[in-house]
Amino acid sequence: MVKLGVNVDHVATLRQARGVDLSGAAVAPPMVIKPRRLGLGRVIVGATTTAAVMILNQTAVDMNVSKISSNSPEFTPALGCIGVLPHGGGNCQIVITFKPAKAGARRAVLTINDNAAHRPQKVRLLGTGALH
């Protein structure tokens, strides 16, 4: 919780100083996520490939990653980045495994739930299932 004290001069009350207490929860700024669009290429149906998304905390506050998920079983994220990402450069790689179930273009969204601003964070995942 952040608590601020503010003094305000009010002309109508002969410039008497007034105290105002403000309080609220601090929200961390957004973390750096690279890339925001991850292509995993062409993969034979039933085979796998992996690639990584990096998350980086360049802010002055610790960030907490509470959940990492994909909206498709063909794109599976490793969950090793759950927890606190230290301020000032803490980073982690989310490894995504792509295993297409059928041929054709495959798409998904990786969702990263955290305490940063503009949450949750999202990454587009793309790949192609091939027959041979």
Side-chain angles (χ1 to χ4, degrees), residues 55-115:
I55 56 178
L56 173 64
N57 182 2
Q58 294 181 319
T59 70
V61 297
D62 291 348
M63 293 200 184
N64 184 35
V65 176
S66 58
K67 183 179 178 183
I68 299 170
S69 61
S70 165
N71 64 345
S72 168
E74 294 177 306
F75 296 87
T76 307
L79 303 179
C81 291
I82 301 289
V84 174
L85 200 60
H87 67 281
N91 64 76
C92 189
Q93 285 193 347
I94 303 169
V95 176
I96 308 296
T97 300
F98 173 48
K99 183 177 182 180
K102 59 184 178 178
R106 318 305 299 150
R107 293 177 177 20
V109 175
L110 176 73
T111 302
I112 304 165
N113 293 83
D114 55 55
N115 65 325

Coordinates of all heavy atoms in Angstrom, one line a residue, residues 55-115:
I55 N 10.9 -13.0 -20.6 CA 10.3 -11.9 -19.8 C 11.4 -11.3 -19.0 O 12.2 -12.0 -18.4 CB 9.1 -12.4 -19.0 CG1 9.4 -13.5 -18.0 CG2 7.9 -12.8 -19.8 CD1 8.3 -14.0 -17.1
L56 N 11.4 -10.0 -18.9 CA 12.4 -9.2 -18.3 C 11.8 -8.1 -17.4 O 10.9 -7.4 -17.9 CB 13.3 -8.6 -19.3 CG 14.4 -7.6 -18.9 CD1 15.4 -8.3 -18.0 CD2 15.1 -7.0 -20.1
N57 N 12.2 -8.0 -16.2 CA 11.7 -7.0 -15.3 C 12.8 -5.9 -15.2 O 13.7 -6.0 -14.4 CB 11.4 -7.6 -13.9 CG 10.8 -6.6 -13.0 OD1 10.6 -5.4 -13.3 ND2 10.6 -7.0 -11.7
Q58 N 12.6 -4.8 -15.9 CA 13.5 -3.7 -15.8 C 13.0 -2.5 -14.9 O 13.5 -1.4 -14.9 CB 13.8 -3.1 -17.2 CG 14.5 -4.0 -18.1 CD 14.7 -3.4 -19.5 OE1 13.9 -2.8 -20.1 NE2 15.9 -3.7 -20.0
T59 N 12.0 -2.8 -14.1 CA 11.4 -1.8 -13.3 C 12.1 -1.8 -11.9 O 13.0 -2.6 -11.6 CB 9.9 -2.1 -13.1 OG1 9.8 -3.3 -12.2 CG2 9.2 -2.4 -14.4
A60 N 11.6 -0.9 -11.1 CA 12.2 -0.7 -9.7 C 11.4 -1.5 -8.7 O 11.7 -1.4 -7.5 CB 12.2 0.8 -9.3
V61 N 10.5 -2.3 -9.1 CA 9.7 -3.2 -8.1 C 9.7 -4.6 -8.6 O 9.8 -4.9 -9.8 CB 8.3 -2.7 -8.0 CG1 8.2 -1.3 -7.4 CG2 7.5 -2.7 -9.3
D62 N 9.7 -5.5 -7.6 CA 9.5 -6.9 -8.0 C 8.2 -7.2 -8.6 O 7.2 -6.6 -8.3 CB 9.6 -7.8 -6.7 CG 11.0 -7.8 -6.1 OD1 12.0 -7.3 -6.7 OD2 11.2 -8.3 -4.9
M63 N 8.2 -8.1 -9.6 CA 6.9 -8.5 -10.2 C 6.6 -10.0 -9.9 O 7.6 -10.8 -9.7 CB 7.1 -8.4 -11.7 CG 7.2 -7.0 -12.1 SD 6.8 -6.7 -13.9 CE 7.1 -5.0 -14.0
N64 N 5.4 -10.3 -9.8 CA 4.9 -11.6 -9.4 C 4.2 -12.2 -10.6 O 3.1 -11.8 -11.0 CB 4.1 -11.6 -8.2 CG 3.7 -13.0 -7.8 OD1 4.5 -13.9 -7.9 ND2 2.5 -13.2 -7.2
V65 N 4.7 -13.3 -11.2 CA 4.0 -14.1 -12.2 C 3.2 -15.1 -11.6 O 3.8 -16.0 -10.9 CB 5.1 -14.7 -13.2 CG1 4.3 -15.5 -14.3 CG2 5.9 -13.6 -13.9
S66 N 1.9 -15.1 -11.7 CA 1.0 -16.0 -11.0 C 0.5 -17.2 -11.8 O 0.2 -18.2 -11.3 CB -0.1 -15.3 -10.4 OG -0.9 -14.6 -11.4
K67 N 0.5 -17.0 -13.2 CA 0.0 -18.1 -14.0 C 0.5 -17.8 -15.4 O 0.5 -16.7 -15.9 CB -1.6 -18.0 -14.0 CG -2.2 -19.1 -14.8 CD -3.7 -19.1 -14.7 CE -4.4 -20.2 -15.5 NZ -5.8 -20.1 -15.5
I68 N 0.8 -19.0 -16.1 CA 1.2 -19.0 -17.5 C 0.3 -20.0 -18.2 O 0.3 -21.2 -17.7 CB 2.7 -19.3 -17.7 CG1 3.5 -18.2 -17.0 CG2 3.0 -19.3 -19.2 CD1 5.0 -18.6 -16.9
S69 N -0.4 -19.7 -19.3 CA -1.2 -20.6 -19.9 C -1.3 -20.4 -21.4 O -1.0 -19.3 -21.9 CB -2.6 -20.6 -19.3 OG -3.2 -19.3 -19.5
S70 N -1.8 -21.4 -22.1 CA -2.0 -21.3 -23.6 C -3.5 -21.8 -23.8 O -4.0 -22.6 -23.1 CB -1.1 -22.3 -24.3 OG -1.5 -22.5 -25.6
N71 N -4.1 -21.2 -24.8 CA -5.5 -21.6 -25.1 C -5.6 -22.7 -26.1 O -6.6 -23.0 -26.6 CB -6.3 -20.4 -25.6 CG -5.8 -19.8 -26.9 OD1 -4.7 -20.1 -27.4 ND2 -6.6 -19.0 -27.6
S72 N -4.4 -23.4 -26.3 CA -4.4 -24.6 -27.2 C -3.5 -25.6 -26.7 O -2.4 -25.4 -26.3 CB -3.9 -24.2 -28.6 OG -3.7 -25.3 -29.4
P73 N -4.0 -26.9 -26.6 CA -3.1 -28.0 -26.2 C -1.9 -28.3 -27.1 O -1.0 -29.0 -26.7 CB -4.1 -29.2 -26.1 CG -5.2 -28.9 -27.0 CD -5.3 -27.4 -27.0
E74 N -2.0 -27.7 -28.3 CA -0.9 -27.9 -29.3 C 0.4 -27.1 -28.9 O 1.5 -27.3 -29.4 CB -1.3 -27.6 -30.7 CG -2.3 -28.6 -31.2 CD -2.8 -28.2 -32.6 OE1 -3.3 -27.1 -32.8 OE2 -2.8 -29.1 -33.5
F75 N 0.2 -26.0 -28.1 CA 1.2 -25.1 -27.6 C 1.3 -25.2 -26.1 O 0.4 -24.7 -25.4 CB 1.0 -23.7 -28.1 CG 1.0 -23.5 -29.6 CD1 -0.2 -23.7 -30.3 CD2 2.1 -23.1 -30.2 CE1 -0.2 -23.5 -31.7 CE2 2.1 -22.9 -31.6 CZ 0.9 -23.1 -32.3
T76 N 2.3 -25.9 -25.6 CA 2.4 -26.1 -24.1 C 3.5 -25.3 -23.5 O 4.7 -25.5 -23.9 CB 2.6 -27.6 -23.8 OG1 1.6 -28.3 -24.5 CG2 2.6 -27.8 -22.3
P77 N 3.2 -24.4 -22.6 CA 4.3 -23.6 -22.0 C 4.9 -24.3 -20.7 O 4.1 -25.0 -20.0 CB 3.6 -22.3 -21.5 CG 2.2 -22.7 -21.3 CD 1.9 -23.8 -22.2
A78 N 6.2 -24.3 -20.6 CA 6.8 -24.7 -19.3 C 6.5 -23.7 -18.3 O 6.4 -22.5 -18.5 CB 8.3 -24.9 -19.5
L79 N 6.3 -24.1 -17.0 CA 5.8 -23.2 -16.0 C 6.9 -22.8 -15.0 O 6.6 -22.3 -13.9 CB 4.7 -23.9 -15.2 CG 3.5 -24.3 -16.1 CD1 2.4 -25.0 -15.3 CD2 2.9 -23.2 -16.9
G80 N 8.2 -22.8 -15.5 CA 9.3 -22.5 -14.6 C 9.4 -21.0 -14.2 O 10.1 -20.7 -13.3
C81 N 8.6 -20.1 -14.8 CA 8.7 -18.7 -14.5 C 7.7 -18.3 -13.5 O 7.5 -17.1 -13.3 CB 8.6 -17.9 -15.8 SG 10.0 -18.0 -16.9
I82 N 6.9 -19.2 -12.9 CA 5.9 -18.8 -11.9 C 6.7 -18.3 -10.7 O 7.6 -19.0 -10.2 CB 5.0 -20.0 -11.6 CG1 4.2 -20.5 -12.8 CG2 4.0 -19.6 -10.4 CD1 3.2 -19.6 -13.3
G83 N 6.2 -17.2 -10.1 CA 6.9 -16.7 -8.9 C 7.3 -15.3 -9.1 O 6.9 -14.6 -10.0
V84 N 8.3 -14.8 -8.2 CA 8.7 -13.5 -8.2 C 9.9 -13.3 -9.2 O 10.8 -14.1 -9.3 CB 9.3 -13.1 -6.8 CG1 9.9 -11.7 -6.8 CG2 8.1 -13.1 -5.8
L85 N 9.7 -12.2 -10.0 CA 10.8 -11.8 -10.9 C 11.4 -10.6 -10.3 O 10.8 -9.5 -10.3 CB 10.1 -11.5 -12.3 CG 11.0 -11.5 -13.5 CD1 11.6 -12.9 -13.7 CD2 10.1 -11.2 -14.7
P86 N 12.6 -10.7 -9.8 CA 13.2 -9.5 -9.1 C 13.4 -8.3 -10.0 O 13.5 -8.4 -11.2 CB 14.6 -10.0 -8.7 CG 14.5 -11.5 -8.8 CD 13.5 -11.8 -9.9
H87 N 13.3 -7.1 -9.3 CA 13.4 -5.8 -10.0 C 14.8 -5.6 -10.5 O 15.7 -6.3 -10.1 CB 13.0 -4.7 -9.1 CG 13.9 -4.5 -7.9 ND1 13.8 -5.3 -6.8 CD2 14.9 -3.6 -7.7 CE1 14.8 -4.9 -5.9 NE2 15.4 -3.9 -6.5
G88 N 15.0 -4.7 -11.4 CA 16.3 -4.3 -11.9 C 17.0 -5.3 -12.8 O 18.2 -5.4 -12.8
G89 N 16.2 -6.1 -13.6 CA 16.8 -7.0 -14.5 C 16.5 -8.5 -14.3 O 17.1 -9.3 -15.1
G90 N 15.7 -8.8 -13.4 CA 15.3 -10.2 -13.2 C 14.6 -10.7 -14.5 O 13.8 -10.0 -15.1
N91 N 15.0 -11.9 -15.0 CA 14.4 -12.4 -16.2 C 14.2 -13.9 -16.2 O 14.7 -14.6 -15.3 CB 15.3 -12.0 -17.4 CG 16.7 -12.7 -17.3 OD1 16.8 -13.9 -17.6 ND2 17.7 -11.9 -16.9
C92 N 13.4 -14.4 -17.1 CA 13.1 -15.8 -17.2 C 12.7 -16.1 -18.6 O 12.2 -15.3 -19.3 CB 12.0 -16.1 -16.2 SG 11.7 -17.9 -16.0
Q93 N 12.9 -17.4 -19.0 CA 12.5 -17.8 -20.3 C 11.3 -18.8 -20.2 O 11.4 -19.7 -19.4 CB 13.6 -18.5 -21.1 CG 14.6 -17.5 -21.7 CD 15.5 -18.2 -22.7 OE1 15.6 -19.4 -22.8 NE2 16.2 -17.3 -23.4
I94 N 10.3 -18.6 -20.9 CA 9.1 -19.5 -21.0 C 9.3 -20.4 -22.2 O 9.2 -19.8 -23.3 CB 7.8 -18.8 -21.0 CG1 7.6 -17.8 -19.9 CG2 6.6 -19.8 -21.1 CD1 6.5 -16.9 -20.0
V95 N 9.6 -21.6 -22.1 CA 9.8 -22.5 -23.2 C 8.4 -23.0 -23.6 O 7.7 -23.6 -22.8 CB 10.7 -23.7 -22.8 CG1 10.9 -24.6 -24.0 CG2 12.1 -23.1 -22.4
I96 N 8.2 -22.9 -24.9 CA 6.9 -23.3 -25.5 C 7.2 -24.6 -26.4 O 8.1 -24.5 -27.2 CB 6.3 -22.2 -26.5 CG1 6.2 -20.9 -25.8 CG2 5.0 -22.7 -27.0 CD1 5.3 -20.8 -24.6
T97 N 6.4 -25.6 -26.1 CA 6.5 -26.8 -27.0 C 5.3 -26.8 -27.9 O 4.2 -26.7 -27.5 CB 6.5 -28.1 -26.1 OG1 7.6 -28.0 -25.2 CG2 6.6 -29.3 -26.9
F98 N 5.6 -27.0 -29.2 CA 4.6 -27.0 -30.2 C 4.5 -28.4 -30.8 O 5.5 -29.0 -31.2 CB 4.9 -26.0 -31.4 CG 4.0 -26.1 -32.6 CD1 2.6 -26.1 -32.4 CD2 4.5 -26.2 -33.8 CE1 1.8 -26.2 -33.5 CE2 3.7 -26.2 -35.0 CZ 2.4 -26.2 -34.8
K99 N 3.4 -29.1 -30.6 CA 3.1 -30.4 -31.1 C 1.8 -30.4 -31.9 O 0.7 -30.6 -31.3 CB 3.1 -31.4 -30.0 CG 2.9 -32.8 -30.5 CD 2.9 -33.8 -29.3 CE 2.8 -35.2 -29.7 NZ 2.8 -36.2 -28.6
P100 N 1.8 -30.2 -33.2 CA 0.6 -30.1 -34.0 C -0.2 -31.4 -34.0 O 0.4 -32.5 -34.2 CB 1.0 -29.7 -35.4 CG 2.5 -30.1 -35.5 CD 3.0 -30.0 -34.1
A101 N -1.5 -31.3 -33.9 CA -2.3 -32.5 -33.9 C -2.8 -32.8 -35.3 O -3.3 -33.9 -35.6 CB -3.5 -32.3 -32.9
K102 N -2.8 -31.8 -36.2 CA -3.2 -32.0 -37.5 C -2.5 -31.0 -38.4 O -1.9 -30.0 -38.0 CB -4.8 -31.9 -37.7 CG -5.4 -30.6 -37.3 CD -6.9 -30.6 -37.4 CE -7.5 -29.4 -36.9 NZ -9.0 -29.4 -37.0
A103 N -2.6 -31.2 -39.7 CA -1.9 -30.4 -40.7 C -2.6 -29.0 -40.9 O -3.8 -28.9 -40.6 CB -1.9 -31.1 -42.1
G104 N -1.8 -28.1 -41.2 CA -2.3 -26.7 -41.5 C -1.8 -25.7 -40.5 O -1.1 -26.0 -39.5
A105 N -2.2 -24.5 -40.7 CA -1.8 -23.4 -39.8 C -2.4 -23.6 -38.4 O -3.6 -23.9 -38.3 CB -2.2 -22.0 -40.4
R106 N -1.6 -23.4 -37.4 CA -2.1 -23.5 -36.0 C -1.8 -22.2 -35.3 O -0.7 -21.6 -35.5 CB -1.4 -24.7 -35.3 CG -1.2 -26.0 -36.1 CD -2.5 -26.6 -36.7 NE -3.4 -26.9 -35.7 CZ -4.7 -26.9 -36.0 NH1 -5.2 -26.6 -37.2 NH2 -5.6 -27.3 -35.0
R107 N -2.7 -21.8 -34.4 CA -2.5 -20.5 -33.7 C -3.0 -20.7 -32.3 O -3.9 -21.5 -32.0 CB -3.4 -19.4 -34.4 CG -3.0 -19.0 -35.8 CD -3.9 -18.0 -36.3 NE -3.8 -17.3 -37.5 CZ -3.2 -17.6 -38.6 NH1 -2.5 -18.6 -38.7 NH2 -3.1 -16.9 -39.7
A108 N -2.4 -19.9 -31.4 CA -2.8 -19.9 -30.0 C -2.3 -18.5 -29.4 O -1.6 -17.8 -30.0 CB -2.2 -21.1 -29.3
V109 N -2.8 -18.3 -28.2 CA -2.3 -17.2 -27.4 C -1.8 -17.7 -26.1 O -2.4 -18.4 -25.4 CB -3.5 -16.2 -27.1 CG1 -3.1 -15.1 -26.2 CG2 -4.1 -15.7 -28.4
L110 N -0.5 -17.2 -25.8 CA 0.1 -17.4 -24.5 C -0.3 -16.3 -23.6 O -0.2 -15.1 -24.0 CB 1.6 -17.5 -24.7 CG 2.4 -17.6 -23.4 CD1 2.3 -19.0 -22.9 CD2 3.9 -17.3 -23.6
T111 N -0.8 -16.6 -22.4 CA -1.3 -15.6 -21.4 C -0.4 -15.7 -20.2 O -0.2 -16.7 -19.6 CB -2.7 -15.8 -21.1 OG1 -3.5 -15.7 -22.3 CG2 -3.2 -14.7 -20.1
I112 N 0.2 -14.5 -19.8 CA 1.0 -14.4 -18.6 C 0.3 -13.5 -17.6 O 0.1 -12.3 -17.9 CB 2.4 -13.8 -19.0 CG1 3.0 -14.7 -20.1 CG2 3.3 -13.8 -17.7 CD1 4.2 -14.0 -20.8
N113 N -0.1 -14.1 -16.5 CA -0.8 -13.3 -15.5 C 0.2 -12.8 -14.5 O 1.0 -13.6 -14.0 CB -1.9 -14.1 -14.8 CG -3.0 -14.5 -15.7 OD1 -3.0 -15.4 -16.4 ND2 -4.1 -13.7 -15.6
D114 N 0.2 -11.5 -14.2 CA 1.2 -10.9 -13.3 C 0.6 -9.7 -12.6 O -0.5 -9.4 -12.8 CB 2.5 -10.6 -14.1 CG 2.2 -9.7 -15.3 OD1 1.6 -8.6 -15.1 OD2 2.6 -10.1 -16.4
N115 N 1.5 -9.0 -11.8 CA 1.0 -7.8 -11.2 C 1.4 -6.5 -11.9 O 1.4 -5.4 -11.3 CB 1.5 -7.8 -9.7 CG 3.0 -7.7 -9.6 OD1 3.7 -8.2 -10.4 ND2 3.5 -7.0 -8.6

